[in-house]
Amino acid sequence: MADLSIIVPVSGVVSLAFVAFLVWDVLRQPKGDEEMQRITRAIEEGARAFMRRQYTTIAYLAVVVAVLFAVALGAVRGLEAGFRTAGAFAMGATFSAVSGYVGLHISIRANGRTANNSLSSLDQALRTALRGGAVSGLIIIALSLLGVWGIYHLYGGPSAPEQDKVILSIVGFGFGASLVALFAQLGGGIYTKAADVGADLVGKVEAGIPEDDPRNPAVIADLVGDNVGDCAGRGADLFESTAAENIGAMVLGVALVPFFGINGIMFPLVARAMGLMATVLGVFVVKGREDRPPMSALNRGYFVTMAVATALFALASWGMLNPANGLAFDTRIHPLTWFFFFLCGVVGILTSLAFVYVTQYYTEARYRPVKEIATSSQTGAATNVISGFSVGLEATALPGIVISAAILISFYLGETTGLSAAIGGTPIPIGGLYGTAIATMGMLATAAYILAMDTFGPIADNAAGIVQMSGKGAEVRGRMDRLDSAGNTTKALTKGYAVGSAALAAFLLFSAYLEEVRLLREAKGLAPEISIDLALPAVFVGAIIGVVLVFLFSGLAIRAVGRAAFYIIRDVRDQFREDPEIMKGSHRPNYARSVDICTRGALREMVAPGILAVAGPVLVGVFLRPTGLAAEAVGATLMVGTIAGVILALVLNTGGGAWDNAKKLVETGLYGGKGTETHKASVVGDTVGDPFKDTAGPSLHILVKLLSTITLVLAPLFV
Amino acid sequence: MADLSIIVPVSGVVSLAFVAFLVWDVLRQPKGDEEMQRITRAIEEGARAFMRRQYTTIAYLAVVVAVLFAVALGAVRGLEAGFRTAGAFAMGATFSAVSGYVGLHISIRANGRTANNSLSSLDQALRTALRGGAVSGLIIIALSLLGVWGIYHLYGGPSAPEQDKVILSIVGFGFGASLVALFAQLGGGIYTKAADVGADLVGKVEAGIPEDDPRNPAVIADLVGDNVGDCAGRGADLFESTAAENIGAMVLGVALVPFFGINGIMFPLVARAMGLMATVLGVFVVKGREDRPPMSALNRGYFVTMAVATALFALASWGMLNPANGLAFDTRIHPLTWFFFFLCGVVGILTSLAFVYVTQYYTEARYRPVKEIATSSQTGAATNVISGFSVGLEATALPGIVISAAILISFYLGETTGLSAAIGGTPIPIGGLYGTAIATMGMLATAAYILAMDTFGPIADNAAGIVQMSGKGAEVRGRMDRLDSAGNTTKALTKGYAVGSAALAAFLLFSAYLEEVRLLREAKGLAPEISIDLALPAVFVGAIIGVVLVFLFSGLAIRAVGRAAFYIIRDVRDQFREDPEIMKGSHRPNYARSVDICTRGALREMVAPGILAVAGPVLVGVFLRPTGLAAEAVGATLMVGTIAGVILALVLNTGGGAWDNAKKLVETGLYGGKGTETHKASVVGDTVGDPFKDTAGPSLHILVKLLSTITLVLAPLFV
């Protein structure tokens, strides 16, 4: 059997080289005129100030958590295991932070350059924005891949005798990544929406000035927010998804060593590497045309990425997962094993497509749901909110069915391979579980491209803001509006994609958790079977707490935005009152003051939900220890919490996106357009949706993965 | 051992006699002046028209469902079992409908009489309203009890040889009750909130006229709605809770026959009978005083009911659950078994108290959450909505913990008794399960009194409306406002109580479902063990679908209100436009037209969510049959769906209640009071909360119980 694993470091390095090229390509674009540069600098300063403070806060929190966990695990499993996990944790946290930081810096620089390029050509603007976004996308996925690969080799690599221990000690990498992701998304999400809600409410609704009007003191904070919330947050989210997915699949791969040797463990990394290569190609082919919608150019790149990724996936499956081809052979094993596993990958790729289409249906103005919200805005804000919320609730059904189908189909495809394993006498349906793992890999194969499209969104949004603020002509504004609208679509799609992949990755991590509990039990001389049987009261209670955790967390996150927004609204009102010249446009408002108020507010408010997310599952395990079912109860918290988290995230993301586009639909002139009561009502819905879709929803994606990694790391405490 | 079961029919008959006395007492009160009688008649006509149409629709649906199920069950289990279940179903449906109908009729008659009595004395008004409410409360609980008791005896009673088959065939009674409850609550809930939202938006917000102003064409529809939604809906809800709880506990009681004989089966009925007697006493002692808040009089009655119920509960436990005392004795069984079970009952009673207090904290204006919503109304409707929604999310935590504690404590108290049983070699922790069953009985012991307080709410609300519409003086209005405000509190409390008891009753019904599946497997010669192991993909998928079902159902219910409200808003606007004299007060609006539009809208819109609720769990079982894990998957749908349903209901109920009271808080003059932008913002939140707290939330209580009864009835199809 071919050893394809060399492609892992190669693709990582190639991607980083391509990133360097993209950075050079973006930075060589002209920065625009004095006014544009002034605005860009203000955004840069604000973003840098926020990121500096935020990452300092996160670093402190991460150190505290790392020490606590190293001590706890050290006490249970010995000092070395504790240190290894803590080391992996530190590395995961650092890599996540670095990739977020670099990506963000380039995105901000791409803002002004995209705006300037839009003066002359749509293609130039589109490419600058997408390439700026691709820097984030590629660096995130490449560092995630190189990180897991590097730490695996650091801790012994393929030649280590006990593969399971090696891989379990790198679970800390995923946990470090999720912790940073949680705070990056929470802090950034609170910041961006507090600024957005504040700017919208006081600007559009109260003062009656347009979006991105330079007279609004919160306008720079709002633009900064797009970068720190949308770019940095989603980047950390998908960094974590891919890292967690790699690790989870590698844990399962250990059970496949008898069949595929080390290939079972390396396959997830190779599959990811293939996806990276496909993305490089996909980004390269995108070219905008003045007479075509920007979305069709972006979609072309996406389909190229997807097609190449599928082909490479087939290659990798055939090369690495072909038992007849090499190390092991067993007549119970289907000769087309590699093909069934490849089909699992295809299931994953199709799942991502399905999520993209379903999200489009529920959030685009062409379809029934958004139209319905716009219609109900005619009767006021209340009916608009009711209608949007019901759309969000309704939008959980199709994704729920898609995820269910993906899990079942990939599981049974995997079962068909005939692979099975046993731990301490308990048979594990490893073929089926590995099938779901491969579906997750398929879903995440295009992650880098999706991330590039996602970051394209805020870059286009900011560029449109800069064009608007620097008072450019209607033609340029029209061009930017087209890009911005494509950006809104890509942002919505990515959220659907992110939540779908979080759900699949979580199912994979459950299996890893159960595997780990079995191994721990075996090591303690207990019967290794574990079932998360909801009929047992303690397990049922664990499930209740899982759901409560998700809801409480969302409540705290949303409340944080409300509170932070309240400060900004007061500041803007104060500024208008203190200096009436601002509204006349003759005095410049104090942008920095709003940025500063927002930064402090967001960082203060992210602490409570963050602590809840980390402490919640631990407390379940501790409190339910006397029942003797702590590991099972924590498993229920994890699984049912994940389901509830994914579904609630769908409500919040979709509802928010639909409200946003219903407002935009009204702004196109429907029911009287801007300035009418209908429009005001639609703005209320949009504002309500802001913390849903950009704070609580995306934070939930991370919460569900954090639940998985934290329970996996701390499993020794519950058994 | 004493045979206390004679108390069951006796208490039922005594309660019905007391109901007759209350009816006489309410009807002999004077009806008030001509104007009052005119309004009352309009409400009566509207309510009767709605109820007639609604129950006709429900009857058709029920017949279809009964036939389908009789056929399906008949095919699997033989004709007789099919007919028995269908017969029980018909009886449950009829009893539920009758008790709802009678209670509603008296409530409507109590409206005008309460209004008239408020002219002279608070005490008279309070007593009329409470006694009107007690008619509903007592008749519902009495008929639920007599129904289960009667059908049990009809199908063989204590002397039948196979108790398990007898009791399983009366499960249909619970299913019939839940089906009627579902449609009663959905239809009534959609009606009431469509009317309320419509009346509020066009009246208060657009036209700037006060609530209950006779110029508003939707005002009568709104008053009718209070009756058909709040009274009839909650009545059907608790009818179903008590019936399902009785049956579920009786199913478990079968396993206790070796220890307590028939007492294990009869105990749930006796406990309920004791609660009824306690309520009769509690209602009797309530007496309002002009110088005291009405709430304290109502609370006095509640505490009397609770104390008497506790004492009687101890008596029943001692008399019936005392193994040393009679039929069986086993040294493994704790001699104080009756006492441990009594303590489980106390846990239930304390749980209901805890729910009441937690609900108060989150929905009363004295505490932080409501104040916070009022504060955020200053910055507009959007921040008000965000803040209220986050309060709702947050308010899931304490109830979740209370329920968890109640389940765990009562289970382990029950385990201490040492009772255990075995079905086909599988040991069942029957002591623990029966402990949770008894906790549910404790929680539901005061159900009749709680229902009386709940129905008090809409009666007081309507009476206040009648006083307002008939232009009575400020002193009378002030008196009615005090009653109305007490009514708002009791309505909020009952919802907390209803959802808490739904959660406990559901846990009980899970056990019954598992028991049933075990018996069915045994009968088929399969291994009877069943575990709802979430680690299995099919079971996990069942859990996902459970959560999706709950969210989609809520979305459809809320959307239904939005759509129905839209029709009414248009009608009111049309009426104002067609006849400008209406606003001047010189022409009477066409109330009947609004009532009619609302009725048709509500009934049309209740069909989709209703079908989803019935078909959803069945489809899960059918689609997942090929996995061989259909019964387990359906179990996961049931359990995880229940958790999600209860938690989501808490969000919707509490959020809605908090928004309502935040608006009332602003109306007391906070932040400028009525007429300000802050007030308008608070009205938006209140309106958004309306379908949450009065349509989707309460319908979810019923959905979770319907899931239980439907899966229990249809279990033979999944095994």
Side-chain angles (χ1 to χ4, degrees):
Chain A
M1 196 154 15
D3 182 7
L4 297 176
S5 66
I6 185 68
I7 198 185
V8 176
V10 169
S11 76
V13 172
V14 168
S15 304
L16 291 182
F18 188 61
V19 164
F21 159 74
L22 291 177
V23 169
W24 169 80
D25 185 52
V26 168
L27 293 186
R28 81 193 161 106
Q29 309 291 325
K31 293 187 200 171
D33 62 26
E34 186 47 43
E35 179 65 10
M36 283 174 149
Q37 291 198 36
R38 205 188 43 72
I39 299 166
T40 314
R41 266 199 307 277
I43 299 174
E44 273 182 43
E45 277 162 25
R48 217 174 286 141
F50 176 77
M51 295 288 281
R52 204 168 36 233
R53 283 209 208 185
Q54 187 188 32
Y55 279 107
T56 315
T57 315
I58 293 177
Y60 284 128
L61 289 168
V63 168
V64 171
V65 172
V67 170
L68 279 178
F69 280 14
V71 169
L73 282 175
V76 180
R77 298 186 117 184
L79 217 54
E80 203 200 325
F83 271 121
R84 279 182 169 225
T85 308
F89 174 90
M91 194 160 154
T94 311
F95 271 45
S96 170
V98 166
S99 57
Y101 205 81
V102 173
L104 180 69
H105 264 264
I106 300 305
S107 305
I108 294 173
R109 276 143 208 264
N111 293 340
R113 290 166 170 90
T114 301
N116 184 57
N117 281 342
S118 75
L119 300 182
S120 50
S121 132
L122 182 88
D123 175 44
Q124 276 296 327
L126 174 77
R127 276 209 279 183
T128 308
L130 181 68
R131 291 182 166 197
V135 170
S136 283
L138 288 167
I139 204 171
I140 284 167
I141 306 298
L143 279 186
S144 156
L145 177 64
L146 287 174
V148 174
W149 182 83
I151 204 154
Y152 173 64
H153 282 84
L154 202 68
Y155 284 174
S159 55
E162 287 181 292
Q163 286 292 317
D164 52 348
K165 290 213 172 141
V166 174
I167 290 165
L168 283 172
S169 52
I170 65 176
V171 168
F173 186 89
F175 178 48
S178 29
L179 197 81
V180 168
L182 182 75
F183 286 107
Q185 179 66 65
L186 265 179
I190 294 170
Y191 182 100
T192 179
K193 288 306 124 174
D196 193 6
V197 168
D200 268 19
L201 278 182
V202 198
K204 285 200 229 173
V205 180
E206 285 188 16
I209 53 180
E211 193 162 346
D212 295 333
D213 191 291
R215 288 171 293 178
N216 190 335
V219 72
I220 293 289
D222 187 10
L223 291 172
V224 168
D226 291 337
N227 292 291
V228 301
D230 291 349
C231 302
R234 194 96 57 258
D237 182 358
L238 285 177
F239 181 94
E240 208 274 310
S241 271
T242 53
E245 183 263 313
N246 276 336
I247 298 165
M250 288 167 83
V251 170
L252 292 180
V254 173
L256 291 175
V257 168
F259 308 107
F260 305 126
I262 211 68
N263 275 0
I265 298 176
M266 295 307 288
F267 181 76
L269 299 178
V270 172
R272 168 84 54 261
M274 300 293 193
L276 260 179
M277 296 291 89
T279 300
V280 169
L281 216 74
V283 170
F284 217 81
V285 302
V286 172
K287 194 170 157 24
R289 276 171 52 176
E290 205 70 39
D291 56 344
R292 286 268 202 77
M295 233 9 245
S296 70
L298 295 174
N299 276 337
R300 213 172 109 236
Y302 180 48
F303 283 111
V304 168
T305 306
M306 210 156 53
V308 175
T310 309
L312 293 175
F313 214 97
L315 185 72
S317 310
W318 178 78
M320 296 180 76
L321 301 178
N322 215 336
N325 216 2
L327 293 169
F329 193 76
D330 184 321
T331 48
R332 283 165 307 175
I333 298 173
H334 202 288
L336 284 178
T337 286
W338 74 270
F339 186 68
F340 286 110
F341 280 141
F342 164 65
L343 287 184
C344 294
V346 174
V347 166
I349 292 173
L350 293 179
T351 303
S352 66
L353 252 188
F355 261 82
V356 164
Y357 281 115
V358 171
T359 311
Q360 282 191 348
Y361 173 72
Y362 279 106
T363 55
E364 285 195 4
R366 287 179 281 163
Y367 303 104
R368 191 263 307 161
V370 170
K371 282 186 190 157
E372 204 170 87
I373 299 175
T375 306
S376 52
S377 310
Q378 289 176 275
T379 40
T383 41
N384 165 289
V385 171
I386 290 172
S387 169
F389 190 66
S390 71
V391 165
L393 289 169
E394 201 189 307
T396 59
L398 288 176
I401 291 169
V402 168
I403 283 285
S404 298
I407 290 176
L408 283 178
I409 295 173
S410 59
F411 184 85
Y412 286 100
L413 278 172
E415 283 277 89
T416 316
T417 61
L419 299 174
S420 69
I423 292 181
T426 317
I428 312 290
I430 191 68
L433 293 177
Y434 207 65
T436 63
I438 293 181
T440 313
M441 293 172 212
M443 179 136 194
L444 284 167
T446 53
Y449 190 86
I450 295 266
L451 258 178
M453 287 217 290
D454 183 53
T455 311
F456 167 88
I459 293 175
D461 190 0
N462 265 255
I466 293 169
V467 164
Q468 167 91 8
M469 284 182 73
S470 57
K472 292 295 175 293
E475 191 201 358
V476 182
R477 287 224 303 269
R479 207 176 272 146
M480 272 320 305
D481 278 351
R482 287 170 61 196
L483 272 197
D484 188 18
S485 132
N488 276 320
T489 307
T490 61
K491 277 195 284 185
L493 300 186
T494 327
K495 263 174 249 163
Y497 176 81
V499 74
S501 60
L504 273 185
F507 186 74
L508 172 59
L509 289 165
F510 300 160
S511 316
Y513 174 76
L514 295 173
E515 195 81 1
E516 165 75 345
V517 171
R518 282 189 205 104
L519 291 170
L520 287 165
R521 292 216 173 156
E522 213 183 3
K524 280 199 169 182
L526 300 167
E529 294 107 70
I530 174 171
S531 73
I532 309 298
D533 184 359
L534 281 179
L536 303 170
V539 179
F540 187 72
V541 163
I544 294 180
I545 301 296
V547 179
V548 165
L549 193 64
V550 161
F551 277 73
L552 181 59
F553 174 84
S554 308
L556 292 178
I558 291 172
R559 190 167 155 225
V561 174
R563 283 157 56 133
F566 194 62
Y567 298 130
I568 296 175
I569 289 170
R570 279 217 293 232
D571 177 58
V572 172
R573 283 184 184 161
D574 286 349
Q575 292 206 26
F576 283 153
R577 197 165 32 235
E578 286 160 18
D579 186 354
E581 299 291 315
I582 293 176
M583 266 303 277
K584 294 181 193 149
S586 43
H587 278 186
R588 216 173 259 299
N590 188 344
Y591 299 129
R593 191 171 112 186
S594 288
V595 169
D596 192 52
I597 283 177
C598 203
T599 302
R600 277 185 288 133
L603 294 184
R604 196 169 44 230
E605 300 290 341
M606 81 179 179
V607 175
I611 288 178
L612 173 73
V614 176
V618 181
L619 290 179
V620 171
V622 171
F623 268 103
L624 294 180
R625 260 199 97 94
T627 64
L629 291 166
E632 286 85 350
V634 169
T637 303
L638 166 61
M639 293 182 184
V640 178
T642 295
I643 297 175
V646 167
I647 300 289
L648 187 57
L650 282 166
V651 174
L652 299 174
N653 291 341
T654 319
W659 268 312
D660 190 349
N661 282 332
K663 180 199 70 177
K664 294 214 168 79
L665 182 60
V666 171
E667 285 177 351
T668 62
L670 193 70
Y671 307 125
K674 285 194 183 183
T676 57
E677 286 301 312
T678 304
H679 181 239
K680 278 195 185 172
S682 73
V683 171
V684 171
D686 178 37
T687 311
V688 169
D690 273 341
F692 286 19
K693 74 176 195 297
D694 290 319
T695 312
S699 299
L700 278 175
H701 308 170
I702 298 172
L703 176 71
V704 302
K705 285 173 293 175
L706 182 77
L707 283 177
S708 299
T709 52
I710 202 171
T711 49
L712 198 49
V713 167
L714 293 183
L717 303 182
F718 310 136
V719 175
Chain B
M1 198 153 15
D3 182 8
L4 298 176
S5 65
I6 184 69
I7 198 183
V8 176
V10 169
S11 75
V13 172
V14 168
S15 304
L16 292 182
F18 188 60
V19 165
F21 160 74
L22 291 177
V23 169
W24 169 80
D25 186 51
V26 167
L27 294 185
R28 79 191 164 109
Q29 310 290 326
K31 293 188 197 171
D33 60 26
E34 187 45 45
E35 179 67 10
M36 283 176 152
Q37 290 198 36
R38 205 187 43 71
I39 301 166
T40 314
R41 265 199 309 276
I43 299 174
E44 273 182 43
E45 278 162 27
R48 218 173 288 142
F50 176 77
M51 295 288 282
R52 204 168 37 233
R53 282 209 207 184
Q54 187 188 32
Y55 279 106
T56 314
T57 315
I58 293 178
Y60 285 129
L61 290 167
V63 168
V64 171
V65 172
V67 170
L68 279 178
F69 281 13
V71 170
L73 282 175
V76 180
R77 298 186 117 184
L79 218 54
E80 200 201 328
F83 272 122
R84 280 182 167 224
T85 307
F89 174 90
M91 192 160 156
T94 312
F95 271 45
S96 170
V98 166
S99 58
Y101 206 80
V102 172
L104 181 70
H105 264 265
I106 300 304
S107 306
I108 294 173
R109 277 142 205 263
N111 294 339
R113 290 165 170 91
T114 302
N116 185 56
N117 281 341
S118 75
L119 300 182
S120 51
S121 133
L122 183 88
D123 175 43
Q124 277 298 329
L126 173 76
R127 277 209 277 183
T128 309
L130 182 67
R131 291 181 168 198
V135 170
S136 284
L138 288 167
I139 204 172
I140 284 167
I141 306 298
L143 279 185
S144 154
L145 177 63
L146 287 175
V148 174
W149 181 84
I151 203 155
Y152 173 62
H153 283 83
L154 202 68
Y155 284 175
S159 55
E162 288 182 292
Q163 285 293 314
D164 51 349
K165 291 213 173 143
V166 174
I167 290 165
L168 282 171
S169 53
I170 65 176
V171 168
F173 186 89
F175 177 49
S178 29
L179 197 81
V180 168
L182 183 75
F183 286 106
Q185 178 66 65
L186 266 178
I190 294 168
Y191 182 100
T192 179
K193 287 306 122 171
D196 193 7
V197 167
D200 268 19
L201 278 181
V202 197
K204 285 201 227 172
V205 180
E206 286 188 15
I209 54 179
E211 192 162 347
D212 295 332
D213 190 291
R215 287 171 293 177
N216 191 334
V219 71
I220 293 289
D222 187 10
L223 291 172
V224 169
D226 291 338
N227 292 290
V228 300
D230 291 350
C231 301
R234 194 95 57 260
D237 183 357
L238 286 175
F239 181 95
E240 207 274 310
S241 270
T242 53
E245 183 262 314
N246 276 335
I247 297 165
M250 287 166 84
V251 170
L252 292 179
V254 173
L256 290 174
V257 168
F259 309 109
F260 305 127
I262 211 69
N263 276 359
I265 298 175
M266 294 307 287
F267 182 76
L269 298 178
V270 172
R272 167 87 54 260
M274 300 293 195
L276 260 180
M277 296 291 89
T279 300
V280 169
L281 216 73
V283 170
F284 217 82
V285 302
V286 172
K287 195 174 157 19
R289 276 172 51 177
E290 205 70 39
D291 56 343
R292 286 269 200 76
M295 231 9 245
S296 70
L298 294 175
N299 276 336
R300 213 173 110 236
Y302 181 47
F303 283 110
V304 167
T305 307
M306 208 154 58
V308 175
T310 309
L312 292 176
F313 213 97
L315 185 71
S317 312
W318 178 79
M320 297 180 74
L321 301 177
N322 216 338
N325 219 1
L327 294 168
F329 192 76
D330 184 323
T331 48
R332 284 165 306 176
I333 297 173
H334 202 288
L336 284 178
T337 286
W338 75 270
F339 186 68
F340 286 111
F341 280 142
F342 165 64
L343 286 183
C344 294
V346 173
V347 166
I349 293 174
L350 293 178
T351 303
S352 66
L353 252 188
F355 261 81
V356 164
Y357 281 116
V358 171
T359 312
Q360 283 193 346
Y361 173 73
Y362 279 106
T363 55
E364 284 196 4
R366 288 179 281 163
Y367 302 105
R368 192 262 307 161
V370 171
K371 282 187 189 154
E372 205 170 87
I373 299 174
T375 306
S376 53
S377 309
Q378 290 177 273
T379 39
T383 42
N384 164 290
V385 171
I386 291 172
S387 167
F389 189 67
S390 72
V391 164
L393 290 169
E394 202 189 306
T396 58
L398 287 176
I401 291 169
V402 168
I403 283 286
S404 299
I407 290 176
L408 283 178
I409 294 173
S410 59
F411 184 85
Y412 286 101
L413 278 173
E415 284 277 89
T416 316
T417 62
L419 299 175
S420 69
I423 292 181
T426 318
I428 312 288
I430 191 69
L433 293 177
Y434 207 64
T436 62
I438 293 182
T440 314
M441 294 171 211
M443 180 135 193
L444 285 168
T446 53
Y449 190 87
I450 296 266
L451 259 177
M453 287 216 290
D454 183 52
T455 312
F456 168 89
I459 294 176
D461 190 358
N462 266 255
I466 293 169
V467 164
Q468 167 91 9
M469 285 182 72
S470 58
K472 292 294 175 290
E475 192 200 355
V476 182
R477 288 224 302 271
R479 211 177 269 146
M480 272 321 305
D481 278 352
R482 287 170 62 195
L483 272 197
D484 187 19
S485 130
N488 276 321
T489 307
T490 61
K491 276 193 284 184
L493 300 186
T494 326
K495 263 173 249 165
Y497 175 82
V499 73
S501 58
L504 272 185
F507 186 74
L508 172 59
L509 290 166
F510 300 160
S511 316
Y513 174 75
L514 295 172
E515 195 81 359
E516 165 75 344
V517 171
R518 281 189 205 105
L519 291 170
L520 287 165
R521 292 214 172 160
E522 213 183 4
K524 281 200 171 184
L526 300 166
E529 292 107 69
I530 172 170
S531 73
I532 308 299
D533 185 358
L534 281 179
L536 303 171
V539 180
F540 187 72
V541 164
I544 294 180
I545 302 298
V547 179
V548 165
L549 193 64
V550 160
F551 277 73
L552 180 58
F553 175 83
S554 307
L556 293 178
I558 291 172
R559 189 164 157 230
V561 174
R563 283 157 57 133
F566 194 63
Y567 298 131
I568 296 175
I569 290 170
R570 279 215 292 231
D571 177 57
V572 172
R573 282 184 186 161
D574 286 350
Q575 292 209 26
F576 282 153
R577 198 168 27 236
E578 287 160 17
D579 186 355
E581 298 291 315
I582 293 177
M583 267 303 278
K584 294 182 193 148
S586 44
H587 279 186
R588 216 172 260 298
N590 188 344
Y591 299 130
R593 190 169 115 185
S594 289
V595 169
D596 191 53
I597 284 177
C598 203
T599 302
R600 276 185 290 133
L603 294 183
R604 195 168 44 231
E605 301 289 341
M606 82 179 180
V607 176
I611 288 178
L612 174 73
V614 177
V618 181
L619 290 179
V620 171
V622 171
F623 269 104
L624 294 179
R625 259 199 97 95
T627 65
L629 291 165
E632 287 85 350
V634 170
T637 304
L638 166 61
M639 293 182 182
V640 178
T642 296
I643 298 176
V646 166
I647 300 289
L648 187 58
L650 282 166
V651 173
L652 300 174
N653 291 341
T654 319
W659 268 312
D660 190 348
N661 281 332
K663 180 199 70 175
K664 294 214 168 79
L665 182 60
V666 171
E667 286 177 350
T668 63
L670 192 71
Y671 307 124
K674 286 192 181 183
T676 58
E677 286 300 314
T678 305
H679 180 240
K680 278 195 183 170
S682 72
V683 171
V684 171
D686 179 35
T687 311
V688 169
D690 272 339
F692 286 19
K693 73 175 195 297
D694 290 318
T695 312
S699 299
L700 278 175
H701 308 172
I702 298 170
L703 176 70
V704 302
K705 285 172 293 174
L706 182 77
L707 284 177
S708 300
T709 51
I710 202 172
T711 50
L712 198 49
V713 167
L714 294 183
L717 303 182
F718 310 137
V719 173

